[in-house]
Amino acid sequence: MSGSTFGELFRVTNFGESHGPAIGCVIDGCPPGMALNEADIQGDLDRRRPGTSRHVTQRNEADTVEILSGVYEGLTTGTPICLLIRNTDQRSRDYGNLLDTFRPGHADYTYWRKYGVRDPRGGGRSSARLTAPMVAAGAVARKWLREKHGTVFIGWMSALGDIDIPFESAGHIAHNPFFAPNASIVQRLEAHMDALRKAGDSCGARIEVRASGMPVGLGEPLFDKLDADIAYAMMGINAVKGVEIGAGFACVAARGSTFGDELLPDGFADNRAGGVLGGISTGQDLVVSIAIKPTSSIRTPRRSIDRDGAATTVETHGRHDPCVGIRATPIAEAMLALVVMDHALRHRAQNGDVALPLQALPAASAAG
Amino acid sequence: MSGSTFGELFRVTNFGESHGPAIGCVIDGCPPGMALNEADIQGDLDRRRPGTSRHVTQRNEADTVEILSGVYEGLTTGTPICLLIRNTDQRSRDYGNLLDTFRPGHADYTYWRKYGVRDPRGGGRSSARLTAPMVAAGAVARKWLREKHGTVFIGWMSALGDIDIPFESAGHIAHNPFFAPNASIVQRLEAHMDALRKAGDSCGARIEVRASGMPVGLGEPLFDKLDADIAYAMMGINAVKGVEIGAGFACVAARGSTFGDELLPDGFADNRAGGVLGGISTGQDLVVSIAIKPTSSIRTPRRSIDRDGAATTVETHGRHDPCVGIRATPIAEAMLALVVMDHALRHRAQNGDVALPLQALPAASAAG
Amino acid sequence: MSGSTFGELFRVTNFGESHGPAIGCVIDGCPPGMALNEADIQGDLDRRRPGTSRHVTQRNEADTVEILSGVYEGLTTGTPICLLIRNTDQRSRDYGNLLDTFRPGHADYTYWRKYGVRDPRGGGRSSARLTAPMVAAGAVARKWLREKHGTVFIGWMSALGDIDIPFESAGHIAHNPFFAPNASIVQRLEAHMDALRKAGDSCGARIEVRASGMPVGLGEPLFDKLDADIAYAMMGINAVKGVEIGAGFACVAARGSTFGDELLPDGFADNRAGGVLGGISTGQDLVVSIAIKPTSSIRTPRRSIDRDGAATTVETHGRHDPCVGIRATPIAEAMLALVVMDHALRHRAQNGDVALPLQALPAASAAG
Amino acid sequence: MSGSTFGELFRVTNFGESHGPAIGCVIDGCPPGMALNEADIQGDLDRRRPGTSRHVTQRNEADTVEILSGVYEGLTTGTPICLLIRNTDQRSRDYGNLLDTFRPGHADYTYWRKYGVRDPRGGGRSSARLTAPMVAAGAVARKWLREKHGTVFIGWMSALGDIDIPFESAGHIAHNPFFAPNASIVQRLEAHMDALRKAGDSCGARIEVRASGMPVGLGEPLFDKLDADIAYAMMGINAVKGVEIGAGFACVAARGSTFGDELLPDGFADNRAGGVLGGISTGQDLVVSIAIKPTSSIRTPRRSIDRDGAATTVETHGRHDPCVGIRATPIAEAMLALVVMDHALRHRAQNGDVALPLQALPAASAAG
């Protein structure tokens, strides 16, 4: 209720602060009997890890995950899985004086007004570091969905600041620090980031994330629509200011005579809906796009006030990502996987007995 | 869990189908002692009501609300408030043959795959008619927030199809059928809609909705961020494909040196954040924008398949809104109010004892 | 959250007051495709109905249920089922002066302190009349469980005041107004009640309720144990002061060497556990016993205070059950069915893939 | 949803197994600004700790608690509090062969049928060891309730096997290993336990637990009644088979003319209701009694079956409490505190504005 638990049936409870002794999560509701060990989780954590290129924060965290419960002799038992990640490189000294002022664009002011107290070390609870346990939990969901339904999740950067990144091939994504699906643009992205860093500035990014091999029928009508829960999950990622499903805002200027995806005997003719109709998955790819604002922690001085309301100036010299969007791709993948996982369990709870007519539709194709 | 309940502490459970005997909702958790009668609710329902201009569906529903419980001698008692709206103009005959095919862009196919059965009359549960009980519940939330905190909600259409609608004055909104905050553009909007209707086509729209007089400190960090819950609420409205908070997708191309709203002794210098930092309200206006797709039910023939998978064609001749965005403004206002209401109660549950330092900040001004 | 919704996946939201226009409930999460009409529900409602013998309240309510949603052409659609029961015999005049004082043993005082306002007509929300919608919802759960798993629910009165009622045969239960499983004792029970009524007094009762044909594996370990949720459901019934599972309080004086039910190749040797081990169903009968306190509304004068704290006396002359336990049997059955239903759905959400070893145990027999 | 989270607003998520690396919990929703450190928690943990007398299990666990998050410079911050307790004395070798058979009275059979896999080491997740994190979480709730409302919790053993333990003075409780409120009976209890241990047998117990200094108005009508949630909490404790509130089962034979607690100008005349009317606290002491079954793990051989269904015999030679009730008192206190804490927050969420009439009732006295 205080916002640290995600999901209804595959529930992930997140805890920790950026510079406390540890961060982690408890997954309750994981189906039993799935093979699981730390290596299944570490790969995704490593993709999100800081310090892997000069374009992200230089904080040096191994982000090594430890499974404290819920697994016996290599199999999930159906009981809560606690995943623990120790913080090893906190450097609290960078943040000591921040208790008296409020960094523009940060949660400092709102935490203070909400709680009366706050942990200023590295942003405390509001740090993007708290996405690490979600990536870990997402890895568990991804494994189950892949093995059970063949569902896979993939994301990429589609814009860095004002540079659009045309999609060329998913094969490129793993081979550059930006998760860019385009090899030829990488040099330009690097130059862009180097210039920003030199200027003590930051920029935004756009990330696209997809699920393919989707089961049909996931999502609850009315409020817990699949796309509504996706919007909730994505807008909850630090620094996200916009979410689109399928065609997104482009639908405003579209016409009904061409927009609604037609159905053909061999599947849907298009995927402007982004894989969801009436809040329920069609079996096509889920298509989601998010906007990430520029990092607020920059070297450039900005105007603020202190706790007495007097004018002051803030410069942030700690270790920060000059574009938080760069490491957002594995986070967005994980959050999408957690939404799909939760709805897969919810669906079979209520509709486990639904038997379709003998002549079922062909598998809907994703034409997005 | 099956998606018909909205909110955690101010919980609204919605029921009904477009052509069943009645629709309605149950509000559980309303604070006691608030004056409430049907007239407090009817006004917002009337703004959403069908049949009020030639540009919306001609279905003739009075949408008269009846309070069945939770109010005694004109005061809320703290027990569940059941609001009932009888359906009076169902015309089931329009929809009889739809059980065998799937309208493109509609939930027909997904409901069938999910449940094995479906109510085809007027879209059944997937009809936008089910937003009426939410507008009714929203009216209750709005009354409490206005009386307790001075919070008010206002929305308008900011684009109709490819026509951008510049904001002129909120005073115009109530005086045209489009909720346009601009008097001079109304004639152009009417011509646009007349042409669409003649062509048997439909278009999308963009709606902006705001809350002002916001309490500071609402929203839970990590998952139930205020903006995450807003995104969930908005994406759950029928036909919505995108949600933006504050600057939205424009943040991608922005720079950190100018994007983060500076704090000055007399308040925030700007409101690109849209009234939320770290998922918690700043006290500035909430600023939300949504994209609504073109109505899928159009006279123009479209390709589809029948339940045996064979190719067919669908034309829809019932009574439909040629732009569902036209009636979406009061719906978006209501959903935003429900989110804020829920978080107002959640906040005081945990933080009811927080006493700020004597020298509190000045009331943050909204400069958006 | 304000306590009007029961269950997690088969969720029943209850609304209404004793003397308002209507009471009812919304069931969200019912599996689709089950045949359902009002007659399936009315039978259980009739068993709970007032006015059916001289030993219960003479309030004359038909308790006719109307299905407002969630059923199409005789089948559940998976969407919310709203059940409405109009109040027809309210007689508010009996309760007018009760706003200024507090009936001993009643919720008058606590409602007033909690909410500051209260509906005094017939006990308002605290009336046992609000169990009627639960009996209706329970009928839906019972139908699904019977058809899907062969699970059936049966309850009886095992003590009326200080008269123990030995179990003879379930066949007797339907043939006397007390739900007594013993024909020869009925005359004595009637004499007991007649004497109480003459004396203007009331008495307590003990009810036993069982589920047989139970699936194995229902219930969540740790907190949502099947027996914990049963205790919650039973203690929530008006006037219940104690709950036992299986041997109940008799276990205190028992020895481990005889208490734990042994397992034999043809099933459990006994059922002291009441069908639950570690919070999870064994497949044996669920065995539950509850204690119901004497009706607090009696003609005999009792001391109380008024809202100014001054001493006063209260006599209650309205229509009341001289033993609320008499009509409690169908209520306890319904609540037990709702708990089992919810856990049946919860179980298959998480554990739908569990395949037991080829050599499964024989069906455990109930020897209780 | 899988049963590892307790509470709605003060939410405790429990994880771990008896012989895994660690057990613990995450508390979400704790009010901010409360002084908290490990010492505030350790005291209650020590009261529950194994190995403290010859009458309880000889497992040697320090049960040292570590606060991993949610506290900054000695104050709660309002963010999740993770409490970790390392397991140090696991001795898995005692339990190796238990995977193939089912101990009578244990959860072995039901876990296997539910999940298909299970962790047999020390009972795995079904071990009473998992109550330790609840005692830790309860200590946090107790501190807040004591400081905010003056509410305190106290429990004692009221029967050990067939020996009733008359209440003499709460002062005795801390000075014997049984939590007996009676000094003269301790020698008899010790002799009883010594004989049982010699016989390889076990016995049950009855525990009473009370809250005094209760706020008025806690509890939600209908389902989340305060007493219903107490019943849920208590029945969820390992080995509990019965729960009573106030007079409990004695109410069956009582008469209405004497049972309902009268109200006098200086408070309630009695407390047969146990501090709850209509599910809402009266301000009197909460009075709760629970029945705990005899330990199932005993040296005496008992009949069972193996996983192939063949007859076998089980003797349990590990380290076990010969009466699990002996250490249950601090557990029951903690669970009661968690229920009251949750409802304290829930109450002010909805009813924070309720202002009673000027002439309020005198503080209700507890006469139980």
Side-chain angles (χ1 to χ4, degrees):
Chain A
M1 188 61 65
S2 288
S4 299
T5 298
F6 186 92
E8 298 290 329
L9 291 182
F10 190 86
R11 295 173 79 86
V12 185
T13 298
N14 179 305
F15 62 87
E17 286 91 30
S18 178
H19 287 50
I23 58 177
C25 67
V26 180
I27 304 170
D28 197 24
C30 185
M34 179 174 75
L36 185 73
N37 60 39
E38 279 87 351
D40 294 318
I41 299 169
Q42 197 63 48
D44 279 342
L45 277 174
D46 289 346
R47 293 172 68 224
R48 193 216 71 97
R49 202 158 64 81
T52 52
S53 83
R54 73 177 184 274
H55 305 297
V56 298
T57 172
Q58 295 307 300
R59 180 170 172 168
N60 182 20
E61 289 285 357
D63 280 355
T64 304
V65 68
E66 183 186 1
I67 299 177
L68 288 185
S69 65
V71 175
Y72 177 66
E73 296 193 339
L75 294 180
T76 60
T77 59
T79 60
I81 301 169
C82 181
L83 303 177
L84 195 74
I85 300 169
R86 292 275 171 187
N87 291 324
T88 56
D89 183 16
Q90 295 105 329
R91 291 206 209 168
S92 288
R93 61 186 176 282
D94 290 343
Y95 304 93
N97 65 338
L98 281 180
L99 260 182
D100 289 325
T101 185
F102 311 108
R103 293 169 297 167
H106 268 283
D108 301 340
Y109 174 68
T110 52
Y111 267 66
W112 179 62
R113 290 295 297 263
K114 184 175 189 70
Y115 298 116
V117 295
R118 67 187 171 93
D119 177 347
R121 302 167 300 166
R125 182 76 176 151
S126 71
S127 166
R129 179 149 182 74
L130 273 308
T131 58
M134 303 318 291
V135 168
V140 179
R142 293 169 84 153
K143 187 167 193 292
W144 190 85
L145 287 166
R146 188 174 61 243
E147 294 177 358
K148 171 80 181 174
H149 292 292
T151 312
V152 294
F153 299 84
I154 183 169
W156 58 83
M157 182 180 278
S158 57
L160 178 73
D162 52 8
I163 307 173
D164 271 321
I165 304 174
F167 184 90
E168 226 177 58
S169 157
H172 297 310
I173 297 171
H175 299 106
N176 65 78
F178 303 100
F179 298 87
N182 184 316
S184 57
I185 209 166
V186 170
Q187 207 171 355
R188 196 173 149 210
L189 301 178
E190 299 205 308
H192 180 79
M193 291 311 299
D194 289 339
L196 267 184
R197 205 164 49 245
K198 205 166 182 179
D201 209 341
S202 63
C203 74
R206 195 171 64 233
I207 305 294
E208 182 160 336
V209 58
R210 296 192 176 207
S212 58
M214 275 294 297
V216 189
L218 305 194
E220 302 297 335
L222 231 64
F223 302 124
D224 297 350
K225 291 187 168 89
L226 188 63
D227 39 356
D229 278 355
I230 292 171
Y232 161 80
M234 295 296 153
M235 196 67 91
I237 298 174
N238 306 51
V240 171
K241 302 302 291 179
V243 181
E244 295 183 317
I245 307 290
F249 278 87
C251 76
V252 172
R255 292 289 168 98
S257 51
T258 54
F259 190 81
D261 305 312
E262 293 179 307
L263 291 87
L264 306 180
D266 59 348
F268 285 91
D270 212 324
N271 189 13
R272 293 185 192 90
V276 186
L277 284 173
I280 301 169
S281 66
T282 61
Q284 297 171 280
D285 282 8
L286 293 180
V287 179
V288 183
S289 198
I290 60 176
I292 296 175
K293 71 176 183 179
T295 311
S296 299
S297 301
I298 51 175
R299 282 200 338 264
T300 307
R302 305 219 65 210
R303 293 176 298 171
S304 187
I305 54 176
D306 63 23
R307 288 210 288 186
D308 295 323
T312 184
T313 293
V314 173
E315 301 169 31
T316 312
H317 290 286
R319 305 159 301 178
H320 296 284
D321 292 274
C323 172
V324 286
I326 292 179
R327 295 196 288 138
T329 293
I331 301 167
E333 291 169 358
M335 295 309 293
L336 187 60
L338 289 170
V339 171
V340 172
M341 178 77 201
D342 196 42
H343 278 283
L345 300 185
R346 291 170 74 165
H347 176 67
R348 75 177 179 186
Q350 183 179 12
N351 304 298
D353 299 319
V354 171
L356 277 174
L358 289 182
Q359 176 87 16
L361 272 185
S365 71
Chain B
M1 188 61 64
S2 289
S4 299
T5 298
F6 185 93
E8 297 290 330
L9 290 181
F10 190 87
R11 294 173 80 86
V12 185
T13 298
N14 178 305
F15 61 87
E17 286 92 29
S18 178
H19 287 49
I23 58 177
C25 65
V26 180
I27 304 170
D28 198 23
C30 185
M34 179 174 74
L36 186 72
N37 61 39
E38 279 88 349
D40 293 319
I41 299 168
Q42 196 63 50
D44 278 344
L45 277 174
D46 289 346
R47 293 171 69 222
R48 194 214 72 96
R49 202 159 64 81
T52 51
S53 82
R54 73 176 184 274
H55 306 297
V56 298
T57 171
Q58 295 307 300
R59 179 170 173 170
N60 182 21
E61 289 286 357
D63 280 356
T64 304
V65 68
E66 183 185 1
I67 299 177
L68 287 185
S69 65
V71 175
Y72 177 65
E73 296 194 338
L75 294 180
T76 59
T77 59
T79 59
I81 300 170
C82 181
L83 303 176
L84 194 74
I85 300 169
R86 290 277 170 185
N87 291 324
T88 57
D89 182 18
Q90 296 104 328
R91 289 204 211 170
S92 288
R93 62 187 174 279
D94 291 343
Y95 305 93
N97 66 337
L98 283 180
L99 260 182
D100 289 325
T101 185
F102 311 108
R103 292 169 297 166
H106 268 284
D108 301 340
Y109 174 68
T110 52
Y111 267 66
W112 177 63
R113 292 295 297 262
K114 183 175 190 70
Y115 297 117
V117 295
R118 67 185 171 96
D119 176 349
R121 302 167 299 165
R125 182 75 177 152
S126 71
S127 166
R129 178 148 185 74
L130 273 308
T131 58
M134 303 318 290
V135 169
V140 178
R142 292 169 85 154
K143 185 166 195 291
W144 190 85
L145 287 166
R146 188 174 60 243
E147 295 178 357
K148 171 81 181 174
H149 291 294
T151 312
V152 294
F153 299 85
I154 184 169
W156 57 84
M157 181 180 278
S158 56
L160 178 73
D162 52 10
I163 308 173
D164 271 320
I165 304 175
F167 184 89
E168 226 176 58
S169 158
H172 296 311
I173 297 170
H175 298 107
N176 65 78
F178 303 99
F179 297 86
N182 184 315
S184 56
I185 210 166
V186 171
Q187 207 172 353
R188 196 172 149 209
L189 302 179
E190 298 205 308
H192 181 78
M193 292 310 299
D194 288 340
L196 268 183
R197 206 165 47 245
K198 206 165 179 179
D201 210 341
S202 63
C203 74
R206 193 171 66 233
I207 305 294
E208 181 160 336
V209 58
R210 296 191 175 208
S212 58
M214 277 293 297
V216 188
L218 304 194
E220 302 297 335
L222 231 65
F223 303 124
D224 297 350
K225 289 186 170 89
L226 188 62
D227 39 356
D229 278 355
I230 292 170
Y232 161 80
M234 295 295 154
M235 197 67 92
I237 298 174
N238 307 52
V240 171
K241 303 302 292 180
V243 181
E244 295 183 316
I245 307 289
F249 278 87
C251 78
V252 172
R255 293 287 168 99
S257 52
T258 55
F259 190 81
D261 305 313
E262 293 179 307
L263 290 88
L264 307 180
D266 58 348
F268 286 91
D270 212 326
N271 190 12
R272 293 186 191 89
V276 186
L277 284 174
I280 300 170
S281 65
T282 61
Q284 296 171 280
D285 283 7
L286 294 181
V287 179
V288 183
S289 198
I290 59 175
I292 297 175
K293 72 175 183 180
T295 310
S296 299
S297 301
I298 50 175
R299 282 201 336 265
T300 307
R302 306 221 62 209
R303 292 177 298 171
S304 187
I305 54 175
D306 63 23
R307 288 209 288 185
D308 296 324
T312 183
T313 294
V314 173
E315 301 168 32
T316 311
H317 290 287
R319 301 159 302 176
H320 297 284
D321 292 275
C323 171
V324 286
I326 292 179
R327 294 196 290 139
T329 294
I331 301 166
E333 291 169 358
M335 296 309 293
L336 187 60
L338 290 170
V339 171
V340 172
M341 179 77 202
D342 197 42
H343 278 283
L345 300 185
R346 291 170 73 165
H347 176 68
R348 75 177 179 185
Q350 183 179 12
N351 304 298
D353 299 319
V354 171
L356 278 174
L358 287 182
Q359 177 86 16
L361 271 184
S365 72
Chain C
M1 189 61 65
S2 288
S4 299
T5 298
F6 185 92
E8 298 290 330
L9 290 182
F10 190 86
R11 294 174 79 86
V12 184
T13 299
N14 179 305
F15 61 87
E17 286 92 29
S18 178
H19 286 50
I23 58 178
C25 67
V26 180
I27 304 169
D28 198 24
C30 185
M34 179 174 76
L36 186 72
N37 60 39
E38 279 88 351
D40 294 319
I41 300 168
Q42 196 63 49
D44 279 344
L45 277 175
D46 289 346
R47 293 171 69 223
R48 192 214 73 97
R49 201 158 64 80
T52 51
S53 84
R54 73 177 184 275
H55 306 298
V56 298
T57 172
Q58 295 307 300
R59 179 170 173 169
N60 182 21
E61 290 285 358
D63 280 356
T64 304
V65 68
E66 182 186 2
I67 299 177
L68 288 185
S69 65
V71 175
Y72 177 66
E73 296 193 339
L75 294 179
T76 59
T77 59
T79 59
I81 300 170
C82 181
L83 302 177
L84 195 74
I85 300 170
R86 291 277 170 185
N87 290 324
T88 57
D89 183 16
Q90 296 104 330
R91 287 205 211 170
S92 289
R93 62 186 175 279
D94 289 344
Y95 304 93
N97 66 337
L98 283 180
L99 261 182
D100 289 325
T101 185
F102 312 108
R103 293 169 297 167
H106 269 282
D108 301 339
Y109 174 68
T110 51
Y111 268 66
W112 178 62
R113 289 296 296 263
K114 184 176 189 69
Y115 298 118
V117 295
R118 67 186 172 94
D119 177 347
R121 301 167 300 166
R125 182 76 176 152
S126 71
S127 167
R129 179 148 184 74
L130 273 309
T131 59
M134 303 317 292
V135 169
V140 178
R142 292 169 84 154
K143 187 166 194 291
W144 189 84
L145 287 166
R146 188 174 60 243
E147 295 177 358
K148 170 81 181 172
H149 292 292
T151 312
V152 294
F153 299 85
I154 184 169
W156 58 83
M157 182 180 278
S158 56
L160 179 73
D162 52 10
I163 308 172
D164 271 320
I165 305 175
F167 184 91
E168 227 177 58
S169 156
H172 297 311
I173 297 171
H175 299 106
N176 65 78
F178 304 100
F179 298 86
N182 184 315
S184 57
I185 210 166
V186 171
Q187 206 171 353
R188 196 173 148 210
L189 301 178
E190 297 205 309
H192 181 78
M193 291 311 298
D194 288 340
L196 267 184
R197 206 164 47 245
K198 206 165 181 177
D201 209 342
S202 63
C203 74
R206 194 171 66 233
I207 305 295
E208 182 160 336
V209 58
R210 295 191 176 209
S212 59
M214 275 294 297
V216 188
L218 305 195
E220 302 296 335
L222 230 65
F223 302 124
D224 297 349
K225 288 186 170 89
L226 188 63
D227 40 356
D229 278 354
I230 291 171
Y232 160 80
M234 295 295 154
M235 197 66 92
I237 298 175
N238 306 51
V240 171
K241 302 303 291 179
V243 181
E244 295 183 316
I245 306 289
F249 278 86
C251 77
V252 172
R255 292 288 168 98
S257 52
T258 55
F259 189 81
D261 306 313
E262 292 180 307
L263 291 87
L264 307 180
D266 59 348
F268 285 90
D270 213 325
N271 189 13
R272 293 184 192 91
V276 186
L277 284 174
I280 300 170
S281 66
T282 62
Q284 297 170 280
D285 282 7
L286 294 180
V287 179
V288 183
S289 199
I290 59 176
I292 297 176
K293 72 176 183 181
T295 310
S296 300
S297 301
I298 50 175
R299 281 199 340 261
T300 307
R302 305 221 64 211
R303 291 176 299 170
S304 187
I305 53 175
D306 62 22
R307 288 208 289 184
D308 296 323
T312 184
T313 294
V314 173
E315 302 169 32
T316 312
H317 289 287
R319 303 159 301 178
H320 297 285
D321 292 274
C323 172
V324 286
I326 293 179
R327 295 195 290 137
T329 293
I331 301 167
E333 291 169 359
M335 294 311 292
L336 187 60
L338 289 170
V339 171
V340 173
M341 178 77 202
D342 197 42
H343 277 284
L345 300 185
R346 290 170 74 165
H347 176 67
R348 76 177 179 185
Q350 183 179 12
N351 305 298
D353 299 319
V354 171
L356 277 175
L358 286 182
Q359 177 87 16
L361 272 184
S365 72
Chain D
M1 187 62 63
S2 288
S4 298
T5 298
F6 185 91
E8 297 289 329
L9 290 182
F10 191 87
R11 294 174 79 85
V12 184
T13 298
N14 179 305
F15 62 87
E17 286 91 30
S18 178
H19 286 50
I23 58 177
C25 66
V26 181
I27 304 170
D28 198 23
C30 185
M34 179 173 76
L36 186 73
N37 60 39
E38 279 88 351
D40 294 319
I41 299 168
Q42 196 63 48
D44 279 343
L45 277 174
D46 288 347
R47 294 171 68 222
R48 193 214 73 96
R49 202 157 65 80
T52 52
S53 83
R54 73 178 184 273
H55 306 297
V56 298
T57 172
Q58 295 307 300
R59 179 170 173 169
N60 183 20
E61 289 286 356
D63 281 355
T64 304
V65 67
E66 182 186 1
I67 299 176
L68 288 185
S69 64
V71 175
Y72 177 66
E73 297 193 338
L75 294 180
T76 59
T77 59
T79 60
I81 301 169
C82 181
L83 303 176
L84 195 75
I85 300 168
R86 291 275 170 187
N87 290 324
T88 57
D89 183 17
Q90 295 103 330
R91 290 206 210 169
S92 288
R93 62 186 176 280
D94 290 343
Y95 304 94
N97 65 339
L98 283 179
L99 260 183
D100 289 325
T101 184
F102 311 107
R103 293 169 297 166
H106 269 283
D108 300 340
Y109 174 68
T110 52
Y111 268 66
W112 177 63
R113 290 294 297 262
K114 183 176 190 69
Y115 298 118
V117 296
R118 67 188 172 92
D119 176 348
R121 302 167 299 166
R125 181 76 177 151
S126 71
S127 166
R129 178 148 183 75
L130 274 307
T131 59
M134 303 318 291
V135 168
V140 179
R142 292 169 85 153
K143 186 165 194 292
W144 190 85
L145 287 166
R146 188 174 60 244
E147 294 178 357
K148 170 81 181 174
H149 292 292
T151 311
V152 296
F153 299 85
I154 184 169
W156 57 83
M157 181 180 278
S158 56
L160 178 73
D162 53 8
I163 307 173
D164 271 319
I165 304 174
F167 184 90
E168 226 176 57
S169 157
H172 297 310
I173 298 171
H175 299 106
N176 65 78
F178 304 100
F179 298 86
N182 185 315
S184 56
I185 209 166
V186 170
Q187 207 171 354
R188 197 173 148 209
L189 301 179
E190 298 204 309
H192 180 78
M193 291 310 300
D194 288 340
L196 268 184
R197 206 163 48 245
K198 206 165 180 179
D201 210 341
S202 62
C203 73
R206 194 172 64 233
I207 305 295
E208 181 160 337
V209 58
R210 296 192 175 207
S212 58
M214 277 293 296
V216 188
L218 305 194
E220 303 296 336
L222 231 65
F223 302 124
D224 297 351
K225 289 186 169 90
L226 188 62
D227 39 356
D229 278 355
I230 292 170
Y232 161 80
M234 295 295 154
M235 196 67 91
I237 298 174
N238 307 50
V240 171
K241 301 303 291 178
V243 181
E244 295 183 315
I245 307 289
F249 277 87
C251 77
V252 172
R255 292 288 168 100
S257 52
T258 54
F259 190 80
D261 305 313
E262 293 179 307
L263 291 87
L264 307 179
D266 59 347
F268 285 91
D270 212 324
N271 189 12
R272 294 186 190 90
V276 187
L277 285 173
I280 301 170
S281 65
T282 62
Q284 296 170 281
D285 281 9
L286 294 181
V287 179
V288 183
S289 199
I290 59 176
I292 297 175
K293 72 176 184 180
T295 311
S296 300
S297 301
I298 51 175
R299 282 200 336 264
T300 307
R302 305 220 64 210
R303 293 176 297 171
S304 187
I305 54 175
D306 63 22
R307 288 208 289 185
D308 295 323
T312 183
T313 293
V314 173
E315 300 169 33
T316 312
H317 290 287
R319 304 158 302 177
H320 297 284
D321 292 276
C323 172
V324 285
I326 292 178
R327 295 197 290 138
T329 293
I331 301 167
E333 291 169 358
M335 295 310 292
L336 187 59
L338 290 170
V339 172
V340 173
M341 179 76 201
D342 197 41
H343 277 283
L345 300 185
R346 291 171 73 165
H347 176 68
R348 75 177 179 186
Q350 183 180 12
N351 305 297
D353 299 320
V354 172
L356 277 175
L358 288 182
Q359 177 87 15
L361 272 184
S365 72

